[in-house]
Amino acid sequence: MPDIKLVRDDLRPPEEPPKRHFISIQDVTREDVERLLATARTLERAMDREVKKLPTLKGRLVINVFYESSTRTSSSFELAAKRLSADTMSIKAAGSSVEKGESLKDTAITLGAYDPDLIVIRHPQIGAPALVARVTSAHVVNAGDGKHQHPTQALLDLYTINEEFGRVEGLHVAIVGDVLHSRVARSNIQALKLLGAHVTLVGPPALIPRGIEAMGVEATTDIGAIAGADLVYVLRMQQERMAEGANYVPSLREYAARWGVTPERIRPGQKIMHPGPMNRGVEIDPRVADHVDALIETQVRAGLVTRMAVLYDLLTNGPVGVPVEAAVGVA
Ligand code: CP
């Protein structure tokens, strides 16, 4: 007897392809990263023009949802969407119905009712971007979830390094400071390893997670280890994530004395990066922050074009979409 099918295959509605998101560096390949960096480079050339707005994402809606404070990430995502002509909407926890106790799930479903093409979300809880991806039909970009991931920070850092050194492969990067509470450290370790860099973590014993060597890095408490690196990546002391009463370091003064990145601890030509915001005089000496070898402002500029690249890639289907050069009119 032939199989009885309740729904004939030829009458079944065509399934939509799964939505692509950018939630973790772990989810992307080296090829993905190289494509995004190349797109950002093309977009940077387009940003040299007098009129910087491109029509590429006209008619698309990008919603920025920030449940944690931000200057660089929120402003660059907003400007990135505007430069690509998308409509934008920004929701911050303060002043929203979060203050009346609304859950993230209900906020996401509410915003999803506007049919956004893409939602950018920063949230103190690990996994918040994945939840938004589950309950809406938008592409989702993680703008930082707790101490888990900050993938677009890693991307803009790779872009900065690549522009400065011409490569990432084979470079020695020392990441210094509060690794334990840092989503930037976790994303950057994965991204740097993906592109073939050698990574050494340096910091107080209580701020270097046990077993972190399993990520393919070296770890030491000796600040002298930064001397051998091509690049010193300084992390912020994240006091807002430190448990009340926990003594990770005896004091900030002691931290600055033992692990602060000072002019005496770096050598000429060594490049310095910091994701911001900086605690000047704690993890980084102001003379280092303002030094000609510091790439901190360059990182902010890279944030704009790399976030434009992420929006472009997700909303135009990346490599199978219109080539970015044609889309933005750069030969
Ligand atoms: N680096 C970074 O995420 O900075 P903001 O917190 O200002 O966005």
Side-chain angles (χ1 to χ4, degrees):
M1 197 168 145
D3 285 347
I4 297 170
K5 284 187 177 162
L6 294 178
V7 179
R8 270 176 45 200
D9 280 344
D10 55 340
L11 295 181
R12 210 184 282 274
E15 273 183 32
E16 271 196 37
K19 279 269 154 60
R20 294 188 309 136
H21 308 292
F22 194 27
I23 290 178
S24 170
I25 291 290
Q26 253 184 321
D27 301 335
V28 296
T29 62
R30 182 173 181 148
E31 193 185 50
D32 290 326
V33 169
E34 286 173 348
R35 183 183 72 250
L36 287 164
L37 295 179
T39 301
R41 223 166 286 126
T42 304
L43 289 165
E44 178 147 36
R45 278 193 284 145
M47 291 303 100
D48 286 342
R49 297 174 184 153
E50 202 178 329
V51 178
K52 301 186 190 314
K53 208 172 176 83
L54 302 164
T56 324
L57 299 184
K58 203 171 167 107
R60 305 300 193 109
L61 174 60
V62 174
I63 304 186
N64 294 306
V65 183
F66 278 75
Y67 278 44
E68 263 187 359
S69 53
S70 167
T71 297
R72 282 145 282 266
T73 314
S74 60
S75 59
S76 59
F77 266 116
E78 178 145 359
L79 186 55
K82 286 189 156 88
R83 286 272 161 94
L84 292 168
S85 299
D87 294 328
T88 59
M89 228 160 63
S90 294
I91 307 291
K92 294 195 188 313
S96 77
S97 288
V98 172
E99 291 187 332
K100 299 176 190 163
E102 186 167 62
S103 69
L104 173 63
K105 182 179 171 184
D106 284 337
T107 301
I109 291 170
T110 301
L111 296 174
Y114 301 129
D115 291 330
D117 295 284
L118 191 145
I119 296 177
V120 176
I121 175 156
R122 168 170 290 190
H123 199 282
Q125 263 174 277
I126 293 172
L131 185 147
V132 175
R134 274 200 303 279
V135 302
T136 72
S137 54
H139 297 273
V140 174
V141 178
N142 182 0
D145 62 332
K147 57 182 188 181
H148 176 224
Q149 279 279 321
H150 193 353
T152 59
Q153 178 71 45
L155 193 67
L156 77 87
D157 289 333
L158 290 180
Y159 186 86
T160 305
I161 295 169
N162 216 13
E163 294 299 294
E164 184 62 34
F165 291 91
R167 67 193 165 97
V168 176
E169 180 107 43
L171 288 180
H172 182 191
V173 180
I175 300 180
V176 187
D178 180 5
V179 177
L180 183 69
H181 300 101
S182 178
R183 56 194 175 207
V184 173
R186 252 165 282 280
S187 306
N188 274 23
I189 290 168
Q190 288 168 352
L192 287 163
K193 297 295 299 174
L194 194 63
L195 265 60
H198 173 68
V199 179
T200 301
L201 306 178
V202 185
L207 293 177
I208 301 284
R210 229 173 262 237
I212 191 100
E213 292 86 350
M215 292 183 82
V217 296
E218 286 173 18
T220 175
T221 58
D222 177 12
I223 188 67
I226 69 174
D230 299 297
L231 168 67
V232 179
Y233 194 102
V234 190
L235 297 172
R236 182 170 67 87
M237 282 291 277
Q238 300 196 45
Q239 292 175 78
E240 76 278 15
R241 295 196 204 286
M242 295 185 187
E244 197 132 322
N247 289 321
Y248 293 100
V249 290
S251 68
L252 290 183
R253 184 194 286 256
E254 172 101 7
Y255 178 85
R258 292 195 57 190
W259 288 282
V261 176
T262 60
E264 298 74 32
R265 287 179 171 151
I266 56 171
R267 52 178 174 73
Q270 231 175 357
K271 300 297 174 192
I272 309 295
M273 292 172 68
H274 191 303
M278 289 184 274
N279 295 310
R280 286 172 180 258
V282 180
E283 72 265 3
I284 188 164
D285 185 298
R287 291 167 294 170
V288 175
D290 298 330
H291 195 269
V292 66
D293 286 324
L295 305 177
I296 298 160
E297 264 179 63
T298 313
Q299 287 173 268
V300 177
R301 268 192 295 277
L304 173 61
V305 288
T306 47
R307 285 171 177 137
M308 285 173 77
V310 168
L311 300 182
Y312 174 87
D313 195 85
L314 290 176
L315 292 175
T316 64
N317 269 333
V320 296
V322 182
V324 66
E325 287 84 355
V328 304
V330 174

